Structure formats: C-alpha cells, structure tokens
Amino acid sequence: METFSIMEPCCIGHQLPQLLKKYPLATWQSNGDVTFDKLMKAISCLAGNSLTVKIVIPTIDIPMLRLLLWYRQREWLKEVAILTKDDQTALMRSQLGMDFPLTARHHDSVVESLLVIEGEKATVIVQGALLSVVTPGQYHYTTYVGTDQERIDMLVSSAWSLFRLAGRKGGKKGKEAAEETDEKPSEAAAEQPEDNNEKPVEHEDTTEEPAESVEGTQEA
C-alpha cells in the first residue's frame, strides 16, 4: 500500500486520480477541507458513467443528498444504498424523491464512513471521513480503484455484513408490526443492484449547474 501526502481541495481532482492510476491501493491525508462533493468529482469518473453508489456514514445531510440527486439528474447515477446510524429515511426521501432508486438502512453500530462507487470500468472505494463542510483536523483515507474482487472484499466485507444485518433487523421489525396489525409486511430491499450493461453516457457538461450547495461535476 502506497502512502501519499496531504491532499488539498484545489488539487485533489488531479492528484488523487493520478495516485490511484499509479497505486490502485493508496493512503493519503487531508486537513478536513476535502469535502464529499470534491471527493466525488475526483474519483467517480474512474468507476465509469453508469454508477451505483453505496455509502456507510453515521449521519448523512442535505448537501450530500442533493449532490447524489444532481448526479442522478445527469443520468450518471442509477442506484444508491445508504447505511446510517439512525433512521434517516424520511430525510433521504424528502430530498431525493419517492421515485429515486434508494435502499436506506440504519444500524446503531455505524461509527465510521465508507464510500463505494461501482461502475462499468471499476469499483472505487474510499475509507475515511465523508465531510459535507470543511471541518478542520487531520483525516486519514484509504482508497482503491480496480476490479480485484478479493481486494474489494477485504475493504468492504465488514460494512456489507452490517448492511445485511440492518436489513434483517428492519425486516424483523416489519414482520412484527404486520403481525400486530394483521397486515402483510413489505418485501425487503434487494441486497445487490443488477448489473447495467448499457452503453454509458458521455460526461458532457451540457446541463445547468447543481443546487447552490453542490459544487461537484463529473469529468471524463
């Protein structure tokens, strides 16, 4: 694993892809000024143009959700799965809409953050704090880009176990509630999205800018 120096928000869009092309598994640091939108802008194009985003984070907020919606509106994002510490489904739906392809779960064991972007080119993984606003401090990140399933499993298997556990927990509560009211419980959300073999769209900046709180743009 290659260790890199501190990433600056002004340069991460250029430096981080270069680092990952040279060292698919790498570590780096920030001073708390590399926010979620800058991180997405820097690495999402390495995964491709048709993306599935999975996020594990203690608390997700409106700026992050609006960024995800913006990616969806540009047809780069096909599905999102989010695991938080507390139930934030209502907030997610209020920002993303009821027709947004979202799997939302929660578990009180969530204390750290993980970002996984799956695309037709590769899977990109970021372990480390996902910040929506500048938060001074020293933050350490581990990143990976590639298609090596063993390496991917090494980085995300524990998070996916927690995600599945949260799904079973939610399904159990739904069943108990249905038994009390004699109603049929809803079906659990699918664990994995289907593969998308459609031709990806090009990253052309032909649409209007995102909401004022969103700065990210997708680049080829």
Side-chain angles (χ1 to χ4, degrees), residues 96-171:
L96 301 177
M98 296 305 296
D99 59 344
F100 191 96
L102 168 71
T103 299
R105 294 178 181 171
H106 61 96
H107 197 283
D108 56 13
S109 295
V110 176
V111 294
E112 296 181 340
S113 299
L114 175 72
L115 171 65
V116 180
I117 307 174
E118 299 172 347
E120 75 280 2
K121 293 181 182 178
T123 296
V124 184
I125 301 170
V126 180
Q127 292 179 332
L130 303 177
L131 308 172
S132 63
V133 297
V134 174
T135 308
Q138 190 175 69
Y139 298 84
H140 298 264
Y141 294 86
T142 298
T143 50
Y144 169 76
V145 60
T147 58
D148 185 332
Q149 193 58 50
E150 289 187 1
R151 183 163 286 186
I152 292 171
D153 291 342
M154 176 186 71
L155 294 169
V156 305
S157 59
S158 60
W160 291 172
S161 294
L162 188 60
F163 200 96
R164 289 191 293 269
L165 180 61
R168 290 196 295 269
K169 180 180 179 182

Side-chain angles (χ1 to χ4, degrees), residues 1-213:
M1 184 183 301
E2 184 71 13
T3 301
F4 199 69
S5 60
I6 291 177
M7 290 281 180
E8 300 289 346
C10 61
C11 308
I12 190 172
H14 175 68
Q15 290 182 341
L16 187 53
Q18 275 197 335
L19 175 67
L20 291 172
K21 286 177 182 178
K22 188 175 182 180
Y23 305 105
L25 181 60
T27 61
W28 51 278
Q29 302 173 22
S30 86
N31 289 319
D33 48 7
V34 174
T35 49
F36 181 68
D37 59 324
K38 291 180 173 59
L39 192 57
M40 283 287 293
K41 178 182 178 181
I43 63 173
S44 59
C45 59
L46 299 178
N49 298 286
S50 182
L51 310 175
T52 295
V53 172
K54 300 175 182 178
I55 300 173
V56 178
I57 188 170
T59 303
I60 198 164
D61 59 17
I62 291 175
M64 297 175 69
L65 293 171
R66 287 181 177 174
L67 179 67
L68 295 173
L69 179 60
W70 184 68
Y71 271 73
R72 174 68 177 176
Q73 290 170 341
R74 289 200 165 195
E75 299 183 352
W76 293 326
L77 182 59
K78 66 177 184 178
E79 189 170 356
V80 174
I82 303 174
L83 176 66
T84 54
K85 181 178 179 62
D86 300 313
D87 187 358
Q88 293 188 273
T89 305
L91 175 65
M92 296 179 202
R93 284 301 180 192
S94 71
Q95 296 299 316
L96 301 177
M98 296 305 296
D99 59 344
F100 191 96
L102 168 71
T103 299
R105 294 178 181 171
H106 61 96
H107 197 283
D108 56 13
S109 295
V110 176
V111 294
E112 296 181 340
S113 299
L114 175 72
L115 171 65
V116 180
I117 307 174
E118 299 172 347
E120 75 280 2
K121 293 181 182 178
T123 296
V124 184
I125 301 170
V126 180
Q127 292 179 332
L130 303 177
L131 308 172
S132 63
V133 297
V134 174
T135 308
Q138 190 175 69
Y139 298 84
H140 298 264
Y141 294 86
T142 298
T143 50
Y144 169 76
V145 60
T147 58
D148 185 332
Q149 193 58 50
E150 289 187 1
R151 183 163 286 186
I152 292 171
D153 291 342
M154 176 186 71
L155 294 169
V156 305
S157 59
S158 60
W160 291 172
S161 294
L162 188 60
F163 200 96
R164 289 191 293 269
L165 180 61
R168 290 196 295 269
K169 180 180 179 182
K172 183 178 179 180
K173 286 185 177 180
K175 182 178 180 180
E176 292 173 350
E179 289 174 350
E180 292 177 0
T181 59
D182 293 327
E183 295 178 356
K184 184 179 180 180
S186 59
E187 295 183 358
E191 289 292 336
Q192 298 292 338
E194 296 181 355
D195 290 335
N196 189 335
N197 293 321
E198 297 179 357
K199 183 178 179 180
V201 297
E202 295 296 330
H203 291 190
E204 296 180 359
D205 192 5
T206 59
T207 55
E208 60 182 7
E209 291 297 317
E212 59 182 5
S213 61

